[in-house]
Amino acid sequence: MNLPGIANLLPMAHHVLMSRGIEWEDQRTFLAVLESGSLSGAARRLALAQPTVRRRIETLEAQLGLALFTRSPNGLVPTEQAVTLGSYARTMASASEAFVRAAAAPRDGIGGTVRVSVSEFVGIEVLPAMLAPLRERFPALAIEMTLSNLPADLLDQEADIAVRMHPPRQDALLAQHVGAVPLHFFAHRDYVGRNGLPQTVEDFADHALIGPDRAPSDLAIAEALLPSLPHPRFAIRTDSHAAQAAAIRAGLGIGVLQAPIGYADTDLVAVLPDRLVHAIDTWIVTHIDLRRTPRIAVVFEHLVEAFGTYVTRIDSTDRIE
């Protein structure tokens, strides 16, 4: 039996979905198998028995007239058709989650769930402190934080609000520029006590550095700042900014931090405090159709104000005693 080509697949699938009433739970199960790579992984994610997951996949395949997965020693491998359908299932899942968030909002007052997408570092180091006064003011609000260095698709409702380091290009998105977050060099005071404090960039040649591994944008900044230092000079290399921060706090060397975070930590010392490493322009973004939703508006406005304060909160006082 020859399977239909991708160009003909989606109209066929749409016709089948409409005429046969394929259940969303079967599609949701398909997405869980696609993303986990196994029946057992999907069963754990959905809190279902594995035979139930298998039965739902078999039912979906029978209704579509398509093979969605093939077996391999490493688990289930999605067919070409399954990969294509997966993008639409993800869109449906995002819409379903947005539906639940909207339905959970109380009719009176500000409450319900708002999903905020931020980078890993911001989600760990910056956002929690900003949310504390917001939750005190609106205790009925629930904030879902999704941490990823990849931008969430606001058009597909993967998130209600996103904190982005680049302006959106889609007309359907509303963005508020809140300033630029400065990056400076920092080290733990114990490291400085053992190794001294560099007075010039050239002095970095005698120090352990913490920096990027493979991220092109971060490597470009490092190479521009430290042109005389080869890549292997980094004693600790990781593309995770949160892991870089942890390494700096552990006294493993000199690294780069968002200045408001570095100066707020009394155990850290600014290295070459007059030298700006980079400045990260920051925008708070939402879908224009959501901006007037009360719970979205409250969180959006709070984040605009909070990040506006954050980017200007730099205490350059020298803390070396």
Side-chain angles (χ1 to χ4, degrees):
M1 177 179 178
N2 294 325
L3 293 175
I6 291 298
N8 299 322
L9 172 64
L10 294 177
M12 286 179 56
H14 177 73
H15 173 72
V16 171
L17 290 173
M18 295 300 292
S19 62
R20 301 186 185 178
I22 291 179
E23 297 290 338
W24 162 239
E25 285 304 315
D26 291 343
Q27 298 171 64
R28 179 169 170 258
T29 302
F30 155 71
L31 182 60
V33 174
L34 182 67
E35 294 181 341
S36 66
S38 68
L39 297 176
S40 59
R44 287 191 296 271
R45 177 183 296 190
L46 300 174
L48 295 173
Q50 186 169 325
T52 300
V53 173
R54 179 185 294 107
R55 184 173 64 255
R56 287 183 177 179
I57 294 300
E58 291 173 349
T59 298
L60 188 59
E61 288 181 324
Q63 290 177 310
L64 291 174
L66 300 172
L68 297 173
F69 300 96
T70 59
R71 293 188 178 277
S72 77
N74 296 322
L76 295 180
V77 178
T79 62
E80 184 180 2
Q81 289 87 350
V83 172
T84 300
L85 288 173
S87 64
Y88 293 92
R90 290 188 184 93
T91 298
M92 292 174 65
S94 296
S96 176
E97 292 171 359
F99 178 89
V100 172
R101 292 196 298 272
R107 295 183 180 180
D108 300 321
I110 302 298
T113 301
V114 178
R115 189 170 182 83
V116 180
S117 172
V118 294
S119 68
E120 178 195 35
F121 181 87
V122 170
I124 293 172
E125 297 280 350
V126 182
L127 189 60
M130 293 180 175
L131 295 180
L134 178 67
R135 287 278 297 118
E136 288 181 9
R137 184 180 174 192
F138 301 106
L141 270 178
I143 306 297
E144 291 182 356
M145 294 195 301
T146 174
L147 275 57
S148 175
N149 293 331
L150 298 176
D153 191 337
L154 297 180
L155 295 180
D156 282 342
Q157 300 179 321
E158 289 182 353
D160 300 313
I161 297 173
V163 180
R164 289 187 175 175
M165 307 310 170
H166 56 83
R169 298 178 180 177
Q170 300 94 332
D171 292 338
L173 298 182
L174 174 69
Q176 177 69 53
H177 184 248
V178 293
V181 182
L183 305 181
H184 287 186
F185 292 112
F186 289 91
H188 194 278
R189 60 172 57 253
D190 290 346
Y191 174 87
V192 173
R194 295 191 306 268
N195 300 279
L197 188 67
Q199 299 302 311
T200 66
V201 170
E202 289 71 25
D203 291 344
F204 281 7
D206 298 322
H207 286 268
L209 301 182
I210 298 164
D213 182 22
R214 299 180 182 181
S217 59
D218 289 357
L219 285 171
I221 293 173
E223 290 169 2
L225 284 168
L226 311 169
S228 62
L229 298 179
H231 179 56
R233 180 59 196 168
F234 289 111
I236 303 295
R237 296 193 294 269
T238 174
D239 290 331
S240 167
H241 296 159
Q244 290 179 20
I248 294 170
R249 290 185 174 118
L252 293 175
I254 299 170
V256 174
L257 281 175
Q258 294 188 11
I261 295 297
Y263 284 116
D265 191 329
T266 57
D267 287 328
L268 299 184
V269 174
V271 179
L272 306 182
D274 294 331
R275 190 178 188 91
L276 177 68
V277 175
H278 189 62
I280 309 173
D281 276 312
T282 304
W283 285 262
I284 312 300
V285 187
T286 189
H287 195 289
I288 196 167
D289 291 342
L290 297 178
R291 182 64 177 84
R292 294 181 181 178
T293 304
R295 70 184 191 285
I296 306 296
V298 162
V299 177
F300 184 92
E301 291 165 5
H302 176 81
L303 292 181
V304 167
E305 180 180 357
F307 273 93
T309 300
Y310 173 76
V311 299
T312 59
R313 193 185 74 236
I314 302 176
D315 175 14
S316 59
T317 302
D318 186 359
R319 291 193 174 95
I320 300 177
E321 297 177 357

